[in-house]
Amino acid sequence: MKAAAKSAETYFRAAAAALAMRSDSSGPDMSVALLKRHYGVTGSIATLSSEVERTIEVGIPDGGRCILKTSTRPEAVDSFRFQTSALAGLQGAAGFVAPTVLRTRSGELMFGEEQTCGYLQTRMEGIPLHQVVPTPELLFRTGRALAQLDLALAQVNVLAAHRPILWHVGCWSRLMELEQYLPSGSVADRVRAAMAEYLEFVEPQISNVVWQVTHNDPSPFNMIVTGQGLGFIDFGDGCWSPRIQDLAIAASHVVSDPTLPLGGAEHLIAGYASIIALSRLETRLLVGLMRARQSALILVNYWRAHLFPADAHYIKKNVARAEHGLSILEPLDVAFGEAAVLAAVSSSLP
C-alpha cells in the first residue's frame, strides 16, 4: 500500500512539473531548418498557440498545410511517441477523422536531434466544435464519433501510454493542493464539493470499469466538424485510463442549458451509448466524473494562469465553460445523476 501511494505521488509530481514549465514556443525557432533536414519540405510557417510544445503551421508550395510539433523537453520524447503511434494506428479507421502522421525522410514517425524532437502531421480542415451551434443532432453525431474513436484506440498498439499526465484520473485526488489559486466564492465551493464526491464515491470504484488507451482531451477545441465527419486532434494528453473518461470529458464541455438535467450533454451521451453500451457502474459514475473533470480543469488552469499570467487568456479558454457547466450539474446527487444518464441513454433523436 505504501509503495502504491509513493508511486502515485511520484507520478503526480512529475505530471505537475511538466505543466509548470513555460511553453517551448518561448525559445529559438528552428522549424525551417528542421523541416528541410528531416522532411525535405520548405514553405511558409506560422506559430500557433500551444500550452506545452511548439506548434507550427506549415504552408507548402502545392497549397497544402501541415502541422509541425517540436520540443526541447526530455519528457516530450514519450509524449511524441504516444501521439505519433496513436495517429499512425488510427489510419483507415471508420466513423471519425484524424490527422495523418508524415514520415521523415528516413521513414520514421518522429525525429530527434541533439535536444530537439518532433513530428509532422497533416492539418485537419474544418471548424472546431466550439465555433459551431451545438444542435442536438450534431452533439449526437459527436458522441457516436467519439465512441468510434475509442473502439479504434482499443485496437492500437500505442507507445508511452503510462507516462505522467496531470489530466489522468490518478492525479485528481491531489489536485485540491491547487485550491489556493481559485477565486473565492461559489466556484471554489462547487469545486470542493465535486472533488469530495469524486474521492468518496467515484475513485474507489473507478478501477472496476473498462480501461484502455484514450484521447483524454476531447474538448470543443480538439473536436473538428469536417466534410468527412467529426475529427479529433491533439492527442498530447492521451493515456491509459477509464474508457468512459473520454465520454465524461466531452460531455462535461457541452453542459450549457440549465433547463436540462445534464445541460444538453444528454445528446452527446446518447450518441456515444448508441455505439458503446454503458455498464451500470459507468452510468452511476458518469456525472461524478463529469463534475470532477470540470473541477480539475478549473483547478489546473487557475494554477497555470497564476504561473504564466501573460498567457492566462489562452490557458483559461475553457474555464468559463467549465464553471457554468459545474453550476448546472451541481444539484444532481448520485441517484438523480444516474437517472439522468439512463434517460439520456434510452433516448433517441426525433
Side-chain angles (χ1 to χ4, degrees), residues 191-204 287-289 291-292 332-334:
V191 167
R192 279 191 287 267
M195 296 309 270
E197 179 194 49
Y198 175 79
L199 287 172
E200 179 182 354
F201 178 72
V202 179
E203 188 177 54
V287 171
L289 275 170
R291 278 199 291 240
L332 296 177
D333 62 16
V334 172

Side-chain angles (χ1 to χ4, degrees), residues 232-307:
F232 298 90
I233 62 171
D234 196 352
F235 286 69
D237 290 328
C239 56
W240 183 264
S241 71
R243 180 176 64 194
I244 195 179
Q245 182 69 349
D246 272 350
L247 175 58
I249 294 167
S252 73
H253 279 288
V254 299
V255 177
S256 60
D257 184 349
T259 67
L260 296 172
L262 299 177
E266 286 89 344
H267 312 302
L268 192 148
I269 293 168
Y272 189 96
S274 72
I275 300 296
I276 299 178
L278 302 185
S279 70
R280 186 61 183 269
L281 180 57
E282 287 173 329
T283 301
R284 285 180 62 79
L285 298 183
L286 183 57
V287 171
L289 275 170
M290 289 167 63
R291 278 199 291 240
R293 171 64 186 203
Q294 290 165 333
S295 300
L297 189 152
I298 293 166
L299 284 161
V300 171
N301 287 314
Y302 270 108
W303 165 61
R304 295 197 73 244
H306 172 79
L307 293 178

Side-chain angles (χ1 to χ4, degrees), residues 68-83:
L68 175 70
K69 294 193 175 188
T70 62
S71 180
T72 58
R73 300 182 185 185
E75 64 269 18
V77 174
D78 275 346
S79 177
F80 289 167
R81 288 173 69 215
F82 178 92
Q83 294 178 55

Side-chain angles (χ1 to χ4, degrees), residues 127-144:
I127 306 174
L129 195 64
H130 73 94
Q131 295 180 358
V132 182
V133 176
T135 64
E137 188 272 339
L138 175 59
L139 292 178
F140 188 87
R141 287 196 292 116
T142 301
R144 287 179 61 88

